[in-house]
mmCIF file of all heavy atoms in Angstrom:
data_model
loop_
_atom_site.group_PDB
_atom_site.id
_atom_site.type_symbol
_atom_site.label_atom_id
_atom_site.label_comp_id
_atom_site.label_asym_id
_atom_site.label_seq_id
_atom_site.Cartn_x
_atom_site.Cartn_y
_atom_site.Cartn_z
ATOM 1 N N GLY C 156 -83.989 9.458 142.095
ATOM 2 C CA GLY C 156 -84.924 10.186 141.252
ATOM 3 C C GLY C 156 -84.726 11.677 141.190
ATOM 4 O O GLY C 156 -85.572 12.395 140.632
ATOM 5 N N LYS C 157 -83.638 12.190 141.714
ATOM 6 C CA LYS C 157 -83.407 13.626 141.686
ATOM 7 C C LYS C 157 -83.052 14.096 140.271
ATOM 8 O O LYS C 157 -82.484 13.360 139.476
ATOM 9 C CB LYS C 157 -82.279 14.018 142.648
ATOM 10 C CG LYS C 157 -82.675 13.960 144.111
ATOM 11 C CD LYS C 157 -81.586 14.550 144.978
ATOM 12 C CE LYS C 157 -82.011 14.600 146.453
ATOM 13 N NZ LYS C 157 -80.952 15.195 147.297
ATOM 14 N N ASP C 158 -83.402 15.356 140.002
ATOM 15 C CA ASP C 158 -83.107 15.984 138.719
ATOM 16 C C ASP C 158 -81.709 16.575 138.757
ATOM 17 O O ASP C 158 -81.426 17.467 139.564
ATOM 18 C CB ASP C 158 -84.142 17.075 138.437
ATOM 19 C CG ASP C 158 -83.910 17.781 137.109
ATOM 20 O OD1 ASP C 158 -82.972 17.423 136.388
ATOM 21 O OD2 ASP C 158 -84.686 18.698 136.805
ATOM 22 N N TRP C 159 -80.860 16.105 137.879
ATOM 23 C CA TRP C 159 -79.463 16.530 137.816
ATOM 24 C C TRP C 159 -79.307 18.037 137.626
ATOM 25 O O TRP C 159 -78.371 18.657 138.139
ATOM 26 C CB TRP C 159 -78.818 15.753 136.667
ATOM 27 C CG TRP C 159 -77.541 16.245 136.120
ATOM 28 C CD1 TRP C 159 -76.379 16.453 136.793
ATOM 29 C CD2 TRP C 159 -77.256 16.544 134.748
ATOM 30 N NE1 TRP C 159 -75.395 16.855 135.928
ATOM 31 C CE2 TRP C 159 -75.912 16.926 134.673
ATOM 32 C CE3 TRP C 159 -78.020 16.509 133.578
ATOM 33 C CZ2 TRP C 159 -75.296 17.280 133.471
ATOM 34 C CZ3 TRP C 159 -77.420 16.857 132.386
ATOM 35 C CH2 TRP C 159 -76.068 17.242 132.341
ATOM 36 N N THR C 160 -80.233 18.682 136.912
ATOM 37 C CA THR C 160 -80.101 20.104 136.611
ATOM 38 C C THR C 160 -80.842 21.008 137.590
ATOM 39 O O THR C 160 -80.838 22.230 137.426
ATOM 40 C CB THR C 160 -80.613 20.398 135.194
ATOM 41 O OG1 THR C 160 -82.018 20.083 135.132
ATOM 42 C CG2 THR C 160 -79.874 19.573 134.151
ATOM 43 N N ASN C 161 -81.456 20.442 138.622
ATOM 44 C CA ASN C 161 -82.210 21.250 139.587
ATOM 45 C C ASN C 161 -81.252 22.130 140.391
ATOM 46 O O ASN C 161 -80.377 21.624 141.099
ATOM 47 C CB ASN C 161 -82.976 20.323 140.530
ATOM 48 C CG ASN C 161 -83.938 21.089 141.428
ATOM 49 O OD1 ASN C 161 -83.795 22.292 141.650
ATOM 50 N ND2 ASN C 161 -84.924 20.382 141.964
ATOM 51 N N PRO C 162 -81.401 23.456 140.333
ATOM 52 C CA PRO C 162 -80.461 24.328 141.038
ATOM 53 C C PRO C 162 -80.478 24.155 142.556
ATOM 54 O O PRO C 162 -79.514 24.524 143.233
ATOM 55 C CB PRO C 162 -80.927 25.738 140.635
ATOM 56 C CG PRO C 162 -82.341 25.582 140.190
ATOM 57 C CD PRO C 162 -82.422 24.219 139.582
ATOM 58 N N ILE C 163 -81.556 23.590 143.080
ATOM 59 C CA ILE C 163 -81.635 23.366 144.525
ATOM 60 C C ILE C 163 -80.552 22.404 145.006
ATOM 61 O O ILE C 163 -80.149 22.419 146.172
ATOM 62 C CB ILE C 163 -83.036 22.822 144.905
ATOM 63 C CG1 ILE C 163 -84.112 23.841 144.541
ATOM 64 C CG2 ILE C 163 -83.120 22.479 146.390
ATOM 65 C CD1 ILE C 163 -83.957 25.167 145.241
ATOM 66 N N ASN C 164 -80.039 21.570 144.104
ATOM 67 C CA ASN C 164 -79.004 20.604 144.479
ATOM 68 C C ASN C 164 -77.656 21.259 144.756
ATOM 69 O O ASN C 164 -76.761 20.616 145.312
ATOM 70 C CB ASN C 164 -78.806 19.569 143.366
ATOM 71 C CG ASN C 164 -80.051 18.766 143.069
ATOM 72 O OD1 ASN C 164 -80.918 18.619 143.927
ATOM 73 N ND2 ASN C 164 -80.152 18.251 141.857
ATOM 74 N N TYR C 165 -77.495 22.510 144.367
ATOM 75 C CA TYR C 165 -76.165 23.121 144.335
ATOM 76 C C TYR C 165 -76.112 24.429 145.119
ATOM 77 O O TYR C 165 -77.119 25.100 145.319
ATOM 78 C CB TYR C 165 -75.756 23.374 142.879
ATOM 79 C CG TYR C 165 -75.871 22.135 142.022
ATOM 80 C CD1 TYR C 165 -76.986 21.917 141.205
ATOM 81 C CD2 TYR C 165 -74.896 21.143 142.062
ATOM 82 C CE1 TYR C 165 -77.113 20.770 140.449
ATOM 83 C CE2 TYR C 165 -75.013 19.987 141.298
ATOM 84 C CZ TYR C 165 -76.129 19.802 140.500
ATOM 85 O OH TYR C 165 -76.259 18.660 139.749
ATOM 86 N N ASP C 166 -74.894 24.778 145.530
ATOM 87 C CA ASP C 166 -74.660 26.073 146.163
ATOM 88 C C ASP C 166 -74.633 27.187 145.120
ATOM 89 O O ASP C 166 -75.101 28.293 145.372
ATOM 90 C CB ASP C 166 -73.321 26.068 146.910
ATOM 91 C CG ASP C 166 -73.317 25.108 148.069
ATOM 92 O OD1 ASP C 166 -73.773 25.495 149.149
ATOM 93 O OD2 ASP C 166 -72.852 23.962 147.896
ATOM 94 N N ILE C 167 -74.030 26.886 143.968
ATOM 95 C CA ILE C 167 -73.853 27.885 142.916
ATOM 96 C C ILE C 167 -74.214 27.271 141.573
ATOM 97 O O ILE C 167 -73.799 26.143 141.273
ATOM 98 C CB ILE C 167 -72.389 28.379 142.837
ATOM 99 C CG1 ILE C 167 -71.856 28.820 144.201
ATOM 100 C CG2 ILE C 167 -72.257 29.517 141.833
ATOM 101 C CD1 ILE C 167 -70.386 29.177 144.176
ATOM 102 N N VAL C 168 -74.943 28.007 140.760
ATOM 103 C CA VAL C 168 -75.202 27.629 139.370
ATOM 104 C C VAL C 168 -74.683 28.754 138.487
ATOM 105 O O VAL C 168 -75.060 29.916 138.673
ATOM 106 C CB VAL C 168 -76.712 27.403 139.118
ATOM 107 C CG1 VAL C 168 -76.954 27.069 137.652
ATOM 108 C CG2 VAL C 168 -77.243 26.289 140.012
ATOM 109 N N LEU C 169 -73.809 28.421 137.534
ATOM 110 C CA LEU C 169 -73.163 29.430 136.702
ATOM 111 C C LEU C 169 -73.369 29.156 135.219
ATOM 112 O O LEU C 169 -73.281 28.008 134.775
ATOM 113 C CB LEU C 169 -71.660 29.475 137.000
ATOM 114 C CG LEU C 169 -71.263 29.925 138.411
ATOM 115 C CD1 LEU C 169 -69.771 29.734 138.612
ATOM 116 C CD2 LEU C 169 -71.651 31.372 138.641
ATOM 117 N N ASN C 170 -73.633 30.204 134.468
ATOM 118 C CA ASN C 170 -73.695 30.151 133.008
ATOM 119 C C ASN C 170 -72.308 30.520 132.496
ATOM 120 O O ASN C 170 -71.932 31.692 132.484
ATOM 121 C CB ASN C 170 -74.754 31.132 132.505
ATOM 122 C CG ASN C 170 -74.904 31.113 130.993
ATOM 123 O OD1 ASN C 170 -73.977 30.817 130.260
ATOM 124 N ND2 ASN C 170 -76.093 31.463 130.524
ATOM 125 N N SER C 171 -71.540 29.534 132.057
ATOM 126 C CA SER C 171 -70.150 29.776 131.691
ATOM 127 C C SER C 171 -70.004 30.618 130.439
ATOM 128 O O SER C 171 -68.966 31.266 130.238
ATOM 129 C CB SER C 171 -69.408 28.450 131.513
ATOM 130 O OG SER C 171 -69.994 27.681 130.478
ATOM 131 N N ASP C 172 -71.015 30.636 129.590
ATOM 132 C CA ASP C 172 -70.957 31.462 128.384
ATOM 133 C C ASP C 172 -71.194 32.923 128.730
ATOM 134 O O ASP C 172 -70.497 33.809 128.246
ATOM 135 C CB ASP C 172 -72.001 30.986 127.375
ATOM 136 C CG ASP C 172 -71.935 31.766 126.069
ATOM 137 O OD1 ASP C 172 -70.869 31.783 125.437
ATOM 138 O OD2 ASP C 172 -72.972 32.352 125.683
ATOM 139 N N ARG C 173 -72.147 33.182 129.571
ATOM 140 C CA ARG C 173 -72.463 34.561 129.946
ATOM 141 C C ARG C 173 -71.378 35.161 130.832
ATOM 142 O O ARG C 173 -70.985 36.320 130.658
ATOM 143 C CB ARG C 173 -73.816 34.612 130.660
ATOM 144 C CG ARG C 173 -74.252 36.016 131.042
ATOM 145 C CD ARG C 173 -75.655 36.001 131.616
ATOM 146 N NE ARG C 173 -76.629 35.580 130.604
ATOM 147 C CZ ARG C 173 -77.931 35.445 130.848
ATOM 148 N NH1 ARG C 173 -78.401 35.674 132.064
ATOM 149 N NH2 ARG C 173 -78.747 35.061 129.893
ATOM 150 N N VAL C 174 -70.880 34.385 131.775
ATOM 151 C CA VAL C 174 -69.898 34.890 132.735
ATOM 152 C C VAL C 174 -68.479 34.791 132.183
ATOM 153 O O VAL C 174 -67.641 35.649 132.433
ATOM 154 C CB VAL C 174 -70.008 34.109 134.066
ATOM 155 C CG1 VAL C 174 -68.968 34.576 135.064
ATOM 156 C CG2 VAL C 174 -71.401 34.251 134.642
ATOM 157 N N GLY C 175 -68.214 33.729 131.433
ATOM 158 C CA GLY C 175 -66.843 33.445 130.990
ATOM 159 C C GLY C 175 -66.215 32.427 131.926
ATOM 160 O O GLY C 175 -66.434 32.466 133.141
ATOM 161 N N ARG C 176 -65.454 31.502 131.360
ATOM 162 C CA ARG C 176 -64.916 30.416 132.182
ATOM 163 C C ARG C 176 -63.924 30.880 133.227
ATOM 164 O O ARG C 176 -63.931 30.393 134.365
ATOM 165 C CB ARG C 176 -64.299 29.348 131.266
ATOM 166 C CG ARG C 176 -65.355 28.693 130.373
ATOM 167 C CD ARG C 176 -64.794 27.613 129.476
ATOM 168 N NE ARG C 176 -65.851 27.090 128.611
ATOM 169 C CZ ARG C 176 -65.697 26.089 127.766
ATOM 170 N NH1 ARG C 176 -64.500 25.491 127.660
ATOM 171 N NH2 ARG C 176 -66.710 25.680 127.012
ATOM 172 N N ASP C 177 -63.073 31.833 132.876
ATOM 173 C CA ASP C 177 -62.129 32.352 133.870
ATOM 174 C C ASP C 177 -62.854 33.072 134.997
ATOM 175 O O ASP C 177 -62.467 32.964 136.172
ATOM 176 C CB ASP C 177 -61.125 33.298 133.205
ATOM 177 C CG ASP C 177 -60.127 32.570 132.313
ATOM 178 O OD1 ASP C 177 -59.943 31.347 132.511
ATOM 179 O OD2 ASP C 177 -59.536 33.218 131.429
ATOM 180 N N LYS C 178 -63.915 33.795 134.648
ATOM 181 C CA LYS C 178 -64.684 34.491 135.690
ATOM 182 C C LYS C 178 -65.436 33.492 136.567
ATOM 183 O O LYS C 178 -65.647 33.737 137.759
ATOM 184 C CB LYS C 178 -65.671 35.470 135.054
ATOM 185 C CG LYS C 178 -65.015 36.676 134.401
ATOM 186 C CD LYS C 178 -64.459 37.617 135.447
ATOM 187 C CE LYS C 178 -63.823 38.843 134.794
ATOM 188 N NZ LYS C 178 -64.785 39.674 134.065
ATOM 189 N N CYS C 179 -65.829 32.347 135.982
ATOM 190 C CA CYS C 179 -66.449 31.295 136.806
ATOM 191 C C CYS C 179 -65.483 30.828 137.890
ATOM 192 O O CYS C 179 -65.877 30.619 139.039
ATOM 193 C CB CYS C 179 -66.855 30.106 135.927
ATOM 194 S SG CYS C 179 -68.340 30.364 134.936
ATOM 195 N N VAL C 180 -64.229 30.667 137.509
ATOM 196 C CA VAL C 180 -63.208 30.272 138.489
ATOM 197 C C VAL C 180 -63.136 31.298 139.610
ATOM 198 O O VAL C 180 -63.118 30.946 140.797
ATOM 199 C CB VAL C 180 -61.828 30.125 137.809
ATOM 200 C CG1 VAL C 180 -60.734 29.876 138.846
ATOM 201 C CG2 VAL C 180 -61.852 28.983 136.792
ATOM 202 N N GLU C 181 -63.110 32.575 139.238
ATOM 203 C CA GLU C 181 -63.007 33.634 140.242
ATOM 204 C C GLU C 181 -64.240 33.682 141.136
ATOM 205 O O GLU C 181 -64.138 33.910 142.348
ATOM 206 C CB GLU C 181 -62.790 34.983 139.559
ATOM 207 C CG GLU C 181 -61.471 35.101 138.808
ATOM 208 C CD GLU C 181 -60.274 34.793 139.693
ATOM 209 O OE1 GLU C 181 -60.226 35.319 140.831
ATOM 210 O OE2 GLU C 181 -59.397 34.028 139.259
ATOM 211 N N LEU C 182 -65.411 33.470 140.552
ATOM 212 C CA LEU C 182 -66.645 33.487 141.341
ATOM 213 C C LEU C 182 -66.680 32.349 142.362
ATOM 214 O O LEU C 182 -67.112 32.548 143.508
ATOM 215 C CB LEU C 182 -67.857 33.398 140.412
ATOM 216 C CG LEU C 182 -68.208 34.685 139.660
ATOM 217 C CD1 LEU C 182 -69.232 34.400 138.570
ATOM 218 C CD2 LEU C 182 -68.754 35.747 140.616
ATOM 219 N N VAL C 183 -66.236 31.163 141.942
ATOM 220 C CA VAL C 183 -66.205 30.041 142.881
ATOM 221 C C VAL C 183 -65.203 30.321 143.995
ATOM 222 O O VAL C 183 -65.468 30.051 145.175
ATOM 223 C CB VAL C 183 -65.877 28.721 142.164
ATOM 224 C CG1 VAL C 183 -65.746 27.582 143.180
ATOM 225 C CG2 VAL C 183 -66.958 28.376 141.140
ATOM 226 N N LYS C 184 -64.068 30.885 143.645
ATOM 227 C CA LYS C 184 -63.073 31.241 144.663
ATOM 228 C C LYS C 184 -63.642 32.274 145.641
ATOM 229 O O LYS C 184 -63.417 32.179 146.859
ATOM 230 C CB LYS C 184 -61.804 31.775 143.998
ATOM 231 C CG LYS C 184 -60.968 30.698 143.328
ATOM 232 C CD LYS C 184 -59.928 31.260 142.399
ATOM 233 C CE LYS C 184 -58.930 32.149 143.071
ATOM 234 N NZ LYS C 184 -57.907 32.639 142.105
ATOM 235 N N ASP C 185 -64.379 33.241 145.116
ATOM 236 C CA ASP C 185 -65.010 34.234 145.999
ATOM 237 C C ASP C 185 -65.969 33.545 146.971
ATOM 238 O O ASP C 185 -66.012 33.890 148.165
ATOM 239 C CB ASP C 185 -65.769 35.272 145.169
ATOM 240 C CG ASP C 185 -64.850 36.251 144.462
ATOM 241 O OD1 ASP C 185 -63.658 36.315 144.814
ATOM 242 O OD2 ASP C 185 -65.326 36.945 143.536
#
């Protein structure tokens, strides 16, 4: 019954449009 979009489920939540997909890669690596 968990909500797939609940940010509590995750370490990181990223907006790929605002950040940019390449920057998302860099942020996860960081």
Side-chain angles (χ1 to χ4, degrees):
K157 286 188 176 181
D158 180 1
W159 163 57
T160 63
N161 188 339
I163 298 300
N164 299 335
Y165 307 99
D166 295 275
I167 309 174
V168 178
L169 295 172
N170 181 332
S171 61
D172 183 57
R173 182 174 295 178
V174 178
R176 296 181 183 184
D177 289 339
K178 290 289 181 64
C179 284
V180 173
E181 295 305 313
L182 284 168
V183 176
K184 286 166 61 178
D185 286 345

